[in-house]
Amino acid sequence: MMAQVLSVLVWALLLSGAFFLVTGALGMVRLPDVFTRMHAAGMADTMGAGLILVGLCVHSGVNLVTLRLLLVLAFLWFTSPIATHALAKAALSGGAEPYTLAGGDEGERGTEAEGGGMS
Amino acid sequence: MREEVIIRVGAKFLAPFIIMFALYVHFHGDYSPGGGFQAGVILAAAFALLALVYGLEAVQKVLPLRFTRMCAALGVLIFAGVGVVTMLLGHNYLGYNALASDPTHPEHGQHYGILLVELGVLVTVFGVMVTVFYLFAGRGRRGS
Amino acid sequence: MFAVTAAALLVAMCLAMCRALLGPTAYDRVLALNNIGTMTVVLIAVLGFLNGRPDFLDLALAYALINFIGTIAVLKYIEYGDLGTSGGPRRRNASRR
Amino acid sequence: MNRVLWLWGILFALWLPLSDHYEPLFLFFGVLTCTIAVFVGARMGIVDRESVPVQLVWRGALYLPWLVWEIFKSNVRVARIILTPRLRVDPSIVHFRASQLTDLGRFIYANSITLTPGTVTTGIVGDDFEVHAIVQEEIDGSEENEMNRRVVVLEGEGA
């Protein structure tokens, strides 16, 4: 009984983590500029990696493997915002133009953003 | 990048842990994946991070270029020296069994021999990596 | 179930690789490569469980480390045009493509 | 000096379970390793209140679960934005003042902002934060003020 509950929990964690990872990667392709893509990458870094690693922790039980998984997770969550911040700052000072909604009517918005992302 | 709060505080926090992890990878080379080469690279990466944040001069005060060049040669000396010592003890070149303190258990010698040889690899890789980084990052400053 | 997760990771890495190839700015490529590095770390962990050898986690940690320091180094090079400087004036209008 | 001992203890406490060998030889290697790491840190002058924030451990344990819950909520919001076929993004860059007193507090606040997808800290000058948001409502809401308040509490009375 206990084993089945754990197995279902591991499945749920791994699948939801994979969902966030694929969604983040999809956002990397779809979103219009580098700053908005950072949010999608941040999604894959935080919840995507986090849920998968926590799922692996639950699967392995409490032992030294769990400690290493938690170390990897702590390291990812500590360094990912630093790298993202460095990237954003470098992009701003390097002259990348942040995408903003071109002042227009509502109907244009979606298609315009999408077109920018796919080009 | 010293004046930038986020990168400075992050690097300050991480650097000791990276050095600790590098030496852990070295000392546990025969129990888990890793060994001298990876440990040397990670150790050099810790100093590269410090040099990126605090500048080349600040790191070269702690770890001068002369010292890293010496490390590159010293590692090879350790490696070859272990081999010569085993030959002097009457075994083959790098025959680790000669290093066992207890002659009835020659397999213990393997452990010590590998640790010593890996130490040579670590020192050489660390020295070469940091030297390459120094020369690459400092090019165009003053001829070195 | 680890195989499913690994497959999803590979799909996500392919999508991010599209962004790394498309560009258009250097920052897009750095962002995509950093993201691919993170996914590689998770993939190493998942593959360790898939093969029943979780020893690979040390490699995942080392990879995460090199990924982080590499990203910082590339960004510093783009921003300052010099890896060894401790600050000072930035290079304006760095290469964008 | 106190911080140096703390750092040494933390590193050694991490070494023991990582190593999982308790023979005298490996304990000696552990002592050697931690001493080298702390020595390099002390020579670089990077062991201080910012890099070894042991004063934050208990309040941090209370802050972390709240942060994880915030990260989860904003992840769901950004996922919804990306998966909407029309892609309703409305990015903007805003400036605001943070109430933290120390660089460590600003570091924690800026990283918390970046960790929650939908907002990225793009620059800090003094206490002026520059934040990029994927939709403007992300930054206008009361949640940023809530996070600001909680980080001030986490930081304690300041330097």
Side-chain angles (χ1 to χ4, degrees), chain D residues 67-87:
Chain D
L67 179 65
V68 171
W69 176 238
E70 282 300 307
I71 289 173
F72 180 73
K73 280 194 296 190
S74 53
N75 261 291
V76 172
R77 279 202 295 271
V78 176
R80 193 175 290 153
I81 290 172
I82 291 174
L83 291 176
T84 312
R86 289 258 309 275
L87 202 66

Side-chain angles (χ1 to χ4, degrees), chain A residues 19 23 27 30-31 35 39-40 43 46-47 64 67-68 77-78 81 84-85 88-89 92 99-101 106 110 114, chain D residues 17-18 20 71-72 75 78-79 82-87 89-91 107 115 118-122 130 132 134:
Chain A
F19 166 77
T23 312
R30 283 192 71 196
L31 288 169
F35 295 99
H39 304 296
M43 234 174 80
T46 53
M47 268 297 123
L64 292 174
L67 176 80
R68 285 189 171 80
W77 278 31
F78 189 80
T84 309
H85 166 78
K89 201 169 53 57
L92 267 185
Y99 167 90
T100 47
L101 283 179
E106 285 285 315
E114 202 166 335
Chain D
L18 262 183
D20 199 27
I71 289 173
F72 180 73
N75 261 291
V78 176
I82 291 174
L83 291 176
T84 312
R86 289 258 309 275
L87 202 66
V89 293
D90 182 11
F107 171 80
L115 262 179
T119 45
V120 169
T121 317
T122 54
E130 189 184 46
H132 181 275
I134 191 169

Side-chain angles (χ1 to χ4, degrees), chain C residues 16-79:
Chain C
M17 188 59 92
C18 287
R19 179 45 70 197
L21 291 175
L22 284 174
T25 63
Y27 307 109
D28 289 287
R29 299 180 210 275
V30 175
L31 178 66
L33 287 178
N34 187 24
N35 203 15
I36 290 174
T38 308
M39 292 191 226
T40 309
V41 172
V42 183
L43 186 64
I44 293 172
V46 173
L47 281 185
F49 276 80
L50 195 60
N51 296 331
R53 281 190 62 196
D55 319 340
F56 289 154
L57 284 170
D58 284 350
L59 298 187
L61 207 50
Y63 195 91
L65 209 86
I66 303 294
N67 184 34
F68 169 65
I69 296 174
T71 306
I72 296 287
V74 169
L75 288 172
K76 184 170 184 189
Y77 190 72
I78 294 177
E79 192 173 357

Side-chain angles (χ1 to χ4, degrees), chain D residues 8-78:
Chain D
W8 197 92
I10 292 169
L11 287 177
F12 196 66
L14 199 57
W15 164 277
L16 281 180
L18 262 183
S19 144
D20 199 27
H21 287 273
Y22 302 99
E23 298 101 66
L25 182 67
F26 280 88
L27 290 179
F28 169 69
F29 286 157
V31 171
L32 191 69
T33 296
C34 300
T35 310
I36 291 174
V38 171
F39 176 72
V40 172
R43 277 291 300 272
M44 284 294 297
I46 57 173
V47 185
D48 55 20
R49 267 181 89 84
E50 279 179 9
S51 64
V52 192
V54 283
Q55 71 273 17
L56 299 183
V57 169
W58 294 118
R59 290 186 299 247
L62 293 175
Y63 176 69
L64 204 59
W66 180 81
L67 179 65
V68 171
W69 176 238
E70 282 300 307
I71 289 173
F72 180 73
K73 280 194 296 190
S74 53
N75 261 291
V76 172
R77 279 202 295 271
V78 176

